[in-house]
Amino acid sequence: MPDDDARARRRTGTGLGLLLALVLAAVLLTALPDDREGGGTCAARTVRTWSADSALTGEFARYGDDGTRTDDWTGGDGTHSVRLPDGRVLWLFSDTYLGRVHGPPNPVGESVTWRDASTPLVRNSAVVMSGSGRLLSTLPAPVFPDPAPQQWRWPVAARVEPRSPGSAERVVRVLLWTRAAGQAPWIYGVPTATEVATLSLPGLRLEGIRTVLDQRSVADPARRMLFGTTAVDAGAWTYVFGGNDAQAVSRPVSQAYVARVPRGRLGEPGAWEYWDGGRWAVRGRPEPVLGDGRRRGVGSAFTVVRDGRTYVLFTMAAGIRGLTTVTSYWSCSPTGPWHGPGKGFRPPLPAGEVAAYNPQAHEAISGGGSRLVLSYDVNWLTANATSAQVNLSRNVSLYRPRFVSLRLAPG
């Protein structure tokens, strides 16, 4: 039987080994962001303050309430933006109402601007803003035509790039999500592909669309990925984030993925590389960088910005809080590890059975520094499309982007 001294030596050795293992693990975790993407160390980031941006929200209300034309934007969601070389800002929207609106009162006597409930939706649109911040005009819609019957395109992130590597001529590359009509739970469409469209400058004429990632061969729609909800430039790369539609099948959160493309080459499908959990690969199954299917993960759309060396991701919170609350994560690398979720905030919502979704950063109008402009979309809470259209038309102010200004700080 071992004597007491031997037992003590074993306990001491075991404890020392455990301590060394813990120290080594801490060192590896600290170095992981640097090893993954060469980003070095970074500081945690959190939302220090936020306030409603009534001026920008009001500008979209002013433009949408102008009922003098029948081909202008009066409401929409899926809000993204990109600043053009001449100073204008191009705003991109998914489902959109055009047509004429009417001043109050509405048919049920409410003091709100309204539209006829039979007004049709178009699947995408684009609105041009002047360099001074005034909305000017709506491009002929839809900007991106349907690929086939019962299919449509939703624009997401956009970038101004050289027409070809080294070219002085610039074009706008717009990432597109292609979806097809489906049955419940796929009431917002079945994801099918990520595409890249090219718009001319300065005329913003559609020149062509190329497929980047076709997902039709993936049998389970919940495992299909769409890229382009947000894009971040860092060094020689543009990092393009995407997600799956796990929330469509009653999961609390979806998963986030990331691809990278050499800067200026979004329009080249062969230049895209996807994070597979250990390396960047041209082919193979991408692996999620965030999302455990329960508490940690992203909504159906989210946004990422870079503050110094830190990547900050904004998304709707998991579970029921995802109807009202924006939360955030931070990382030293686009591939993670992502820390959070952080403390959320609840932006203002109009009265009614409505929900917030699709938080998106707009660096083109954020003004630099730690101030960041974030939009969020609002929709009626129902799975019945007819009921939603009636309520959104009864009060046209509901289905429009709203804006907040944030300040990030170490946290």
Side-chain angles (χ1 to χ4, degrees):
M1 187 171 183
D3 60 25
D4 290 343
D5 287 344
R7 284 195 296 270
R9 283 194 298 272
R10 277 206 299 271
R11 285 197 301 270
T12 303
T14 302
L16 180 59
L18 178 60
L19 177 61
L20 290 173
L22 290 172
V23 171
L24 178 60
V27 171
L28 289 174
L29 285 172
T30 301
L32 184 56
D34 188 48
D35 292 342
R36 277 188 163 183
E37 197 50 37
T41 58
C42 72
R45 283 292 185 271
T46 188
V47 175
R48 175 62 55 87
T49 61
W50 68 271
S51 61
D53 192 326
S54 57
L56 192 53
T57 300
E59 176 58 16
F60 278 89
R62 177 201 67 79
Y63 186 75
D65 284 348
D66 183 352
T68 59
R69 296 177 58 177
T70 61
D71 59 349
D72 267 358
W73 180 97
T74 65
D77 70 353
T79 311
H80 291 79
S81 66
V82 60
R83 186 168 290 277
L84 306 179
D86 59 10
R88 296 175 297 164
V89 177
L90 179 66
W91 292 88
L92 297 159
F93 294 92
S94 297
D95 289 347
T96 301
Y97 287 105
L98 303 177
R100 183 167 285 125
V101 297
H102 311 285
N106 68 8
V108 296
E110 297 170 320
S111 184
V112 292
T113 305
W114 58 284
R115 71 170 65 85
D116 191 286
S118 63
T119 302
L121 277 169
V122 294
R123 286 302 191 176
N124 58 73
S125 68
V127 180
V128 178
M129 174 182 275
S130 72
S132 63
R134 185 173 179 83
L135 294 168
L136 301 174
S137 61
T138 302
L139 299 185
V143 181
F144 311 101
D146 294 346
Q150 298 298 302
Q151 296 183 23
W152 61 88
R153 292 177 166 119
W154 284 343
V156 280
R159 284 288 186 277
V160 174
E161 292 190 343
R163 178 174 290 281
S164 58
S167 172
E169 184 181 3
R170 297 293 190 264
V171 295
V172 182
R173 309 285 190 202
V174 181
L175 288 151
L176 305 173
W177 287 352
T178 300
R179 290 180 176 265
Q183 302 298 317
W186 303 100
I187 59 175
Y188 299 112
V190 177
T192 58
T194 301
E195 300 175 318
V196 176
T198 298
L199 300 178
S200 66
L201 283 171
L204 299 172
R205 178 178 58 85
L206 177 62
E207 296 187 345
I209 298 174
R210 301 186 69 182
T211 299
V212 170
L213 185 66
D214 192 331
Q215 292 284 275
R216 290 174 297 179
S217 63
V218 179
D220 181 0
R223 289 177 52 82
R224 296 180 180 183
M225 293 162 282
L226 296 177
F227 284 85
T229 181
T230 186
V232 180
D233 295 325
W237 300 96
T238 295
Y239 295 96
V240 184
F241 290 82
N244 59 23
D245 267 7
Q247 284 187 310
V249 288
S250 301
R251 296 175 188 170
V253 286
S254 295
Q255 294 174 309
Y257 300 80
V258 66
R260 71 177 186 180
V261 190
R263 289 181 72 167
R265 298 176 64 185
L266 283 174
E268 302 176 35
W272 285 58
E273 299 175 347
Y274 303 88
W275 183 254
D276 70 1
R279 64 188 180 92
W280 296 101
V282 176
R283 293 179 177 84
R285 175 79 185 176
E287 290 295 323
V289 296
L290 174 62
D292 61 7
R294 298 181 300 278
R295 178 175 171 268
R296 302 183 78 248
V298 295
S300 57
F302 58 94
T303 194
V304 179
V305 298
R306 198 170 187 230
D307 187 34
R309 302 182 73 94
T310 307
Y311 294 83
V312 185
L313 184 153
F314 295 95
T315 184
M316 302 309 295
I320 193 68
R321 294 173 65 242
L323 301 175
T324 60
T325 305
V326 178
T327 191
S328 63
Y329 296 81
W330 67 271
S331 175
C332 297
S333 163
T335 61
W338 288 92
H339 307 275
K343 182 180 178 181
F345 67 94
R346 298 181 64 170
L349 283 173
E353 298 177 27
V354 298
Y357 60 106
N358 186 37
Q360 286 295 323
H362 300 279
E363 296 185 87
I365 57 172
S366 292
S370 59
R371 176 180 176 269
L372 180 66
V373 174
L374 197 77
S375 69
Y376 57 101
D377 298 325
V378 177
N379 209 331
W380 197 260
L381 265 177
T382 179
N384 184 297
T386 301
S387 173
Q389 184 153 343
V390 168
N391 284 288
L392 297 178
S393 296
R394 176 180 59 82
N395 180 356
V396 300
S397 71
L398 296 179
Y399 195 57
R400 289 174 179 166
R402 286 160 170 77
F403 297 86
V404 295
S405 292
L406 312 175
R407 289 200 177 274
L408 299 174

